[in-house]
Amino acid sequence: MSTTRADLEAMDAADPLARFRDRFFVPEGITYLDGNSLGCLPKAALDRLDETARVEWGRDLITSWNVHGWIEAPLKLGGKLAQIIGAEEDEVAVCDSTSVNLFKLVAGALSLRPGRRTILSEPGNFPTDLYILQGLVGLLGDRAALRTVAAEDVVAAIDDDTAVVVLTHVHYKTGRRHDMAAITRAAQDRGALVIWDLSHSAGALAVDLNGCNADLAVGCGYKYLNGGPGAPAFLFVARRHQAQIVNPLSGWMGHAAPFAFVDGYEPAPDIRRELCGTPSILAMAALDAALDLFVEADMDQVEAKSARMCDLFIELVEARCPELTLVSPRRSTERGSQVSFAHPDGYPIMQALIARGVIGDFRAPDIIRFGFTPLYLRYTDVWDAAEAIGEVVGTRAYDRAEFRKVAAVT
Ligand SMILES: Cc1ncc(COP(=O)(O)O)c(C=O)c1O
């Protein structure tokens, strides 16, 4: 028997995560399926921003670095985030952007594997990941080389010259999920390290970095973690690597004694050495409040709801739209918290959906992408989105000039 809206209403009524929706501002009349690009605003983040601006900045000014613990923010937030990605508290720092953190950790990985030159990745990885690798290789000349091979060939391509494998755990376009444990083990068996980009995993899946014996990782704060536009990113360095890894962006916040103001750089002995300059405290405040929600949530429940929502979405959309081609893996264990479909008119289809209040996004050349955020979405949202997609595609309501005008951000 096929699924009905009443079935989904019953699932919402039984959902152990349903209580979190009210902790967010979710705009009325909008079905928001783009939390994999920018998460919704947590109500507590708005209060925290207000408090941090008015009291900490407005009244207590410079004393806040000590009085309100601003100086500890990168590690304090790192400790919270560690709990939801399977790391120890002292293995994660919140700082900089994902791009910058990747630069630091790839250079750091090369420093941990002297004599090896190859950085291995896959074509079609998120552009910034590839661009950062290209930039670093350009800087290092003969001392590093970038090699990209298809995802299924990565393990076989790891050889004696491979210093580090750089992969995005969940692919931004297709939602395909790599087997973190298996790839990490295969790389380590050949003496290489792996850096996982968790941008599309953290906050959506029950990531278990230490369970996989991961070496290094980076990720975004503004997607499933709901830290706000341009939120600080994070990085993970397994404790066993912290005393040796070199941070090429040797700024004063990574110094063993930043307030000694000495001329010579001496790295902090721990994760602090991965910091560079002064953190953006207002942005940290918003992310801090957003992370508190995850500390309350059970990540196994989050991942289970994500899988269920995506499975339902695939079933309901495919039943309505034979014109769309599923690009994401059908099996939830091989997928992150998003579903992508291909259609030659993907761009106008997405614009027509947005005009109807169903917000996803478009990734060139032909992919419409829908992200599922278990903390604030309802199962009935899955139904409503599928109905809207069925109507827009089935009636070709997207076939209008206004929906074909391409905006700067897609
Ligand atoms: C896999 C991945 N890495 C990195 C980024 C972005 O990095 P940054 O925050 O430095 O722009 C994104 C953004 O969508 C992403 O999908």
Side-chain angles (χ1 to χ4, degrees):
M1 234 175 60
S2 61
T3 308
T4 65
R5 194 172 197 280
D7 295 333
L8 302 197
E9 281 166 10
M11 287 167 74
D12 281 329
D15 175 11
L17 299 175
R19 64 195 170 92
F20 283 100
R21 180 175 171 89
D22 192 42
R23 313 271 297 270
F24 291 86
F25 291 103
V26 185
E28 201 60 43
I30 296 290
T31 304
Y32 191 66
L33 304 184
D34 215 357
N36 51 333
S37 267
L38 175 64
C40 282
L41 169 61
K43 291 178 179 169
L46 190 60
D47 294 340
R48 188 76 62 85
L49 277 169
D50 187 70
E51 167 90 5
T52 308
R54 279 178 204 282
V55 177
E56 300 185 9
W57 176 20
R59 186 192 69 195
D60 296 339
L61 285 166
I62 195 74
T63 64
S64 292
W65 285 101
N66 291 316
V67 174
H68 296 293
W70 286 357
I71 196 70
E72 294 304 328
L75 300 201
K76 187 184 104 183
L77 271 64
K80 283 187 192 177
L81 186 48
Q83 296 176 46
I84 66 166
I85 55 174
E88 294 295 327
E89 245 177 57
D90 59 357
E91 293 178 312
V92 181
V94 168
C95 54
D96 301 316
S97 65
T98 307
S99 305
V100 171
N101 286 336
L102 188 65
F103 181 89
K104 293 187 291 189
L105 290 196
V106 179
L110 289 167
S111 76
L112 293 172
R113 289 294 176 270
R116 292 178 176 231
R117 295 168 58 248
T118 303
I119 302 166
L120 188 62
S121 190
E122 62 170 309
N125 197 350
F126 188 75
T128 210
D129 297 59
L130 293 174
Y131 301 162
I132 288 289
L133 301 181
Q134 290 161 19
L136 185 61
V137 165
L139 196 64
L140 292 177
D142 291 346
R143 286 178 293 152
L146 172 61
R147 184 174 173 213
T148 56
V149 296
E152 58 276 18
D153 299 328
V154 164
V155 166
I158 303 169
D159 62 20
D160 289 351
D161 191 52
T162 308
V164 59
V165 181
V166 180
L167 293 173
T168 300
H169 183 217
V170 172
H171 195 272
Y172 78 103
K173 222 187 247 189
T174 64
R176 182 219 56 220
R177 186 192 323 193
H178 276 300
D179 185 338
M180 182 184 287
I183 294 176
T184 300
R185 199 178 322 115
Q188 290 171 350
D189 283 350
R190 296 174 175 92
L193 300 165
V194 184
I195 300 178
W196 291 104
D197 183 337
L198 301 179
S199 290
H200 292 272
S201 318
L205 305 177
V207 176
D208 189 8
L209 286 170
N210 282 334
C212 297
N213 198 34
D215 299 295
L216 305 161
V218 297
C220 282
Y222 48 79
K223 300 179 188 292
Y224 293 105
L225 293 175
N226 312 309
F234 65 90
L235 55 78
F236 159 87
V237 179
R239 215 181 262 158
R240 63 185 177 279
H241 295 311
Q242 290 180 8
Q244 294 84 37
I245 194 165
V246 172
N247 176 1
L249 300 185
S250 45
W252 70 313
M253 289 288 162
H255 194 279
F259 287 86
F261 295 106
V262 295
D263 285 354
Y265 182 75
E266 186 195 326
D270 48 21
I271 188 78
R272 204 179 284 272
R273 70 172 51 191
E274 290 297 342
L275 304 182
C276 182
T278 307
S280 168
I281 292 298
L282 291 178
M284 285 283 195
L287 178 58
D288 190 20
L291 290 176
D292 285 340
L293 292 172
F294 285 101
V295 172
E296 278 179 52
D298 175 332
M299 290 310 293
D300 288 327
Q301 286 180 353
V302 169
E303 179 165 335
K305 183 174 174 185
S306 147
R308 221 166 163 201
M309 289 183 122
C310 292
D311 285 344
L312 278 165
F313 185 69
I314 293 171
E315 175 197 323
L316 297 175
V317 171
E318 286 191 327
R320 287 160 178 74
C321 300
E323 303 88 335
L324 297 179
T325 307
L326 181 68
V327 173
S328 301
R330 204 169 282 281
R331 287 166 63 120
S332 61
T333 49
E334 294 166 11
R335 195 179 61 217
S337 199
Q338 74 176 63
V339 176
S340 303
F341 289 99
H343 188 286
D345 280 323
Y347 187 80
I349 288 172
M350 185 51 75
Q351 303 322 301
L353 285 171
I354 293 170
R356 271 166 207 242
V358 175
I359 302 185
D361 58 24
F362 171 78
R363 289 293 174 263
D366 60 358
I367 288 186
I368 49 176
R369 200 174 69 143
F370 302 92
F372 291 85
T373 18
L375 288 193
Y376 52 78
L377 287 180
R378 300 164 299 202
Y379 289 101
T380 43
D381 291 321
V382 176
W383 178 275
D384 296 343
E387 287 278 281
I389 296 166
E391 200 184 308
V392 162
V393 175
T395 64
R396 294 180 62 90
Y398 60 84
D399 199 6
R400 285 167 39 180
E402 70 196 82
F403 296 140
R404 293 189 185 274
K405 220 183 304 156
V406 179
V409 176
T410 64

